[in-house]
Amino acid sequence: MMSKVYLVGAGPGDRGLITIKGLECLKKADVIIYDRLVNKELLDYRKKECELFFVGKESSNHILPQNEINHKILEEAKQGKIVVRLKGGDPYVFGRGGEEAEILYDNDVDFEVVPGVTSAIGGLAYAGIPVTHRDYASSFHVVTGHSKYDDNLDINWPALAKEKGTVIFLMGIGNIKHITKMLIENGRDPNTPVAFVSWATKYDQKTVKSSLEKAYLLVEEKKVKSPALFVVGEVVALTKKLGFFEKRPLFGKSIAITRTRAKNSELRYKLENLGARVIEIPTIQIEGIEVEKEYLKKMIKNNDYIAFTSQHSVKYFFNALRKHRIDKRILAGSKICSIGEATTSEIEGKDIYPDIIADNFYANSLADKIIDDIKINGNNRIMYPCSEIAPGDFEEKLNENGAVVHRLNIYSNKVNLAAKEEVINIFENDKIDYITFTSSSTFNNLVELIGKENIEKLKMIKKVSIGSITSKNMTYSGINPDLESDKANINSLVDIILSDVEKNF
Ligand code: SAH
């Protein structure tokens, strides 16, 4: 097989800022060699067998020497692999991407470059600073504050200082005094507005502003952390109007959500879009349960209703159909029943529109609806694909009313005990403002996972319950929820957090 190396720009931090082409490369890579500034969440898109190599350590300056990185890329490529060299921002903006590409050329390795959003432009945009503006800047310069030969910056200061446009320094924090001094000495107005933007486009982005003259004082005073951009120019004055990112209502808040390993949850996206940092606590491990093909077919055909009481039951039921190549038309004789928005939208995602939907979030209310329907139709067989640990009350209620329930355990729902240390570590070291519980079981699972003796660790965190049943269950274990959403759904849960933030911060 032909090998290929892709030099891919990951964008400045926000995982949404990678290009479609970059993402496609990540999905097909056999190996990904990535840097410190790359958002690690992007690695979740890799295929299962893909190998990962990290070539930059968190503690700055301790980076794998460039020749070793080059060697690694070549070595992997020579094995006929698809190699992605994933770099922060754009690969050719101070990322040594040019050097890496040259070495590939010199060694006859086929390569392509996938440009990325550079922090120098995209990072500033998130801080509310447009690099150019007809009223303030008709050019921009991107300059390194740190050269290969260190202090001896190869910069034409007189020309740079005369420039009225925007000047952006990358890697400039350590050299800030020298940089500002040279600009002023060579003629730039000491009152020119400047800003530092650290961790641009990430949940902890921080923008601090000053004047060129006083900038170096700010680094210590405001504890400006690397990586940071230093930007000089009149456009900085626009942050007040254009700084959309740090103005989002949950910006600066950390919210833990208790969910499965499966990423990309609805709750997560809603909170992130409002600006929160979301930490997923992997309490539950969900897996499909194998069902034999003929058994599954027979079961479906012997029913008048199929009742789904969770999103997962829909997902794993249809996975089983797909696995056995059982056509959806087999469902034609059954009325499809659903509960809650999430389950219903999962069903609708299969292009099937439920016949019966419960009035509220509770399984009992779905049972009532089905019983009403049975009274009219006389058909009374219900198939119930569910979790191995789903409680029996739904079935009981139906049985009591003369219905016949065929339960099918379609997924298992186990406490992810392997994650105990990881989770305790999160509670000990991350400053978390809120933790959400979207069902009684997410709470119970967390307690089982960390152990009763560690429950104290939740003390300083505001606990948010999705509804009265979950709250009761928590109180029973000695933990009082601080907030409870009005309606038992995700939107209402998000609303209650929003109004709490408004009130208290
Ligand atoms: N290729 C990258 C730059 C690599 S050099 C790009 O195009 O963005 C590393 C420097 O980039 C850092 O020292 C910092 O000055 C800047 N940088 C990269 N990502 C950043 C971010 N999210 N926030 C602020 N500065 C960032």
Side-chain angles (χ1 to χ4, degrees):
M1 205 187 88
M2 279 291 284
S3 63
K4 182 123 188 176
V5 177
Y6 294 93
L7 294 176
V8 177
D14 178 342
R15 65 162 181 261
L17 293 180
I18 192 169
T19 61
I20 293 177
K21 186 159 185 185
L23 198 60
E24 279 166 2
C25 291
L26 287 182
K27 287 179 184 166
K28 67 183 174 191
D30 297 311
V31 46
I32 300 174
I33 302 173
Y34 66 102
D35 282 341
R36 182 172 86 92
L37 292 178
V38 162
N39 185 337
K40 313 286 177 293
E41 288 168 14
L42 288 172
L43 303 174
D44 291 345
Y45 291 97
R46 73 189 186 273
K47 60 186 184 189
K48 227 173 162 181
E49 320 77 65
C50 174
E51 287 178 81
L52 295 178
F53 287 97
F54 177 56
V55 290
K57 275 205 178 137
E58 208 63 50
S59 55
S60 58
N61 297 336
H62 196 126
I63 294 168
L64 205 64
Q66 189 62 42
N67 56 1
E68 284 180 38
I69 298 178
N70 298 342
H71 180 74
K72 182 83 206 162
I73 301 173
L74 281 178
E75 184 187 60
E76 295 294 330
K78 287 195 170 143
Q79 293 171 37
K81 293 181 184 170
I82 295 183
V83 182
V84 165
R85 171 74 177 109
L86 189 63
K87 302 168 80 72
D90 180 90
Y92 280 173
V93 178
F94 304 131
R96 304 192 190 179
E99 292 167 46
E100 289 173 11
E102 270 184 280
I103 282 160
L104 292 168
Y105 172 83
D106 292 342
N107 285 274
D108 278 334
V109 175
D110 194 20
F111 72 91
E112 279 184 35
V113 180
V114 183
V117 173
T118 177
S119 64
I121 298 175
L124 291 188
Y126 269 46
I129 303 170
V131 273
T132 70
H133 188 293
R134 282 206 300 168
D135 295 335
Y136 307 108
S138 49
S139 72
F140 60 88
H141 289 244
V142 181
V143 184
T144 171
H146 187 98
S147 83
K148 198 168 171 182
Y149 311 102
D150 266 333
D151 287 341
N152 193 9
L153 292 184
D154 184 21
I155 293 171
N156 183 349
W157 291 109
L160 199 61
K162 274 187 197 71
E163 184 53 57
K164 287 207 181 60
T166 311
V167 186
I168 304 136
F169 290 88
L170 274 63
M171 299 175 285
I173 302 303
N175 244 338
I176 192 67
K177 217 168 172 175
H178 180 66
I179 291 170
T180 51
K181 183 171 151 258
M182 294 306 278
L183 285 175
I184 294 171
E185 274 181 17
N186 286 284
R188 187 110 195 202
D189 180 353
N191 292 318
T192 312
V194 302
F196 294 97
V197 187
S198 50
W199 285 113
T201 79
K202 297 281 290 244
Y203 62 84
D204 48 355
Q205 171 178 312
K206 193 168 151 193
T207 309
V208 292
K209 296 198 290 179
S210 178
S211 63
L212 185 57
E213 191 175 31
K214 301 201 177 110
Y216 74 94
L217 296 170
L218 218 61
V219 172
E220 264 191 31
E221 204 177 289
K222 301 276 179 176
K223 300 195 169 45
V224 175
K225 286 198 197 100
S226 188
L229 304 156
F230 176 56
V231 50
V232 180
E234 301 300 328
V235 285
V236 168
L238 290 164
T239 53
K240 261 210 185 95
K241 282 204 227 163
L242 307 186
F244 67 94
F245 190 70
E246 293 172 50
K247 279 189 206 151
R248 293 173 308 160
L250 296 182
F251 184 76
K253 300 287 165 289
S254 290
I255 304 178
I257 64 176
T258 46
R259 275 191 52 86
T260 64
R261 274 280 177 208
K263 296 267 170 171
N264 306 345
S265 74
E266 189 194 348
L267 179 58
R268 179 183 183 133
Y269 278 138
K270 290 210 158 118
L271 294 170
E272 281 183 344
N273 285 335
L274 291 163
R277 172 193 187 195
V278 175
I279 303 166
E280 290 200 55
I281 308 285
T283 42
I284 314 171
Q285 185 86 38
I286 291 188
E287 275 167 28
I289 294 176
E290 296 271 322
V291 190
E292 217 236 313
K293 181 172 182 179
E294 289 312 310
Y295 177 72
L296 182 62
K297 279 170 84 172
K298 208 164 103 199
M299 204 162 178
I300 296 170
K301 284 185 181 151
N302 281 332
N303 277 290
D304 309 304
Y305 301 88
I306 301 181
F308 294 105
T309 56
S310 80
Q311 226 176 332
H312 294 301
S313 60
V314 180
K315 180 175 159 200
Y316 289 101
F317 176 78
F318 282 93
N319 278 356
L321 292 190
R322 192 177 320 116
K323 179 170 175 229
H324 293 308
R325 297 183 63 81
I326 302 174
D327 196 292
K328 268 194 280 198
R329 283 171 294 182
I330 195 170
L331 307 175
S334 309
K335 284 192 174 170
I336 304 295
C337 315
S338 174
I339 190 172
E341 285 165 33
T343 311
T344 303
S345 81
E346 188 83 28
I347 296 173
E348 295 189 351
K350 312 283 177 199
D351 293 322
I352 291 173
Y353 301 92
D355 302 282
I356 297 176
I357 299 177
D359 292 332
N360 61 38
F361 192 71
Y362 304 112
N364 265 343
S365 116
L366 183 61
D368 285 337
K369 276 255 169 154
I370 297 175
I371 292 161
D372 289 345
D373 200 75
I374 287 174
K375 281 183 191 146
I376 301 167
N377 291 302
N379 298 325
N380 67 347
R381 299 166 307 171
I382 296 133
M383 178 178 183
Y384 177 39
C386 60
S387 154
E388 199 176 51
I389 56 159
D393 24 349
F394 177 70
E395 295 157 87
E396 256 165 51
K397 177 140 194 188
L398 286 163
N399 285 329
E400 279 164 16
N401 284 277
V404 182
V405 182
H406 297 144
R407 174 178 176 135
L408 175 71
N409 292 339
I410 196 77
Y411 67 96
S412 66
N413 199 317
K414 296 194 178 101
V415 173
N416 184 16
L417 290 172
K420 179 170 180 173
E421 269 189 32
E422 180 190 341
V423 171
I424 291 182
N425 205 2
I426 292 173
F427 289 130
E428 282 176 349
N429 298 316
D430 283 299
K431 193 195 136 296
I432 300 173
D433 300 294
Y434 297 91
I435 182 165
T436 63
F437 296 103
T438 50
S439 67
S440 292
S441 60
T442 56
F443 176 76
N444 294 341
N445 287 328
L446 180 68
V447 176
E448 189 178 340
L449 174 61
I450 63 175
K452 282 217 171 63
E453 68 284 7
N454 284 311
I455 209 154
E456 277 284 292
K457 301 209 156 77
L458 302 180
K459 220 163 91 192
M460 303 305 290
I461 306 172
K462 282 196 176 176
K463 291 156 282 285
V464 193
S465 152
I466 198 162
S468 57
I469 295 183
T470 304
S471 301
K472 227 190 267 165
N473 179 65
M474 291 168 68
T475 312
Y476 182 74
S477 298
I479 290 276
N480 287 324
D482 301 278
L483 300 169
E484 181 184 297
S485 52
D486 294 336
K487 290 197 198 124
N489 63 39
I490 298 294
N491 284 335
S492 181
L493 184 81
V494 171
D495 284 344
I496 197 86
I497 296 176
L498 274 172
S499 58
D500 191 67
V501 169
E502 239 166 67
K503 258 187 275 163
N504 295 302
F505 291 95

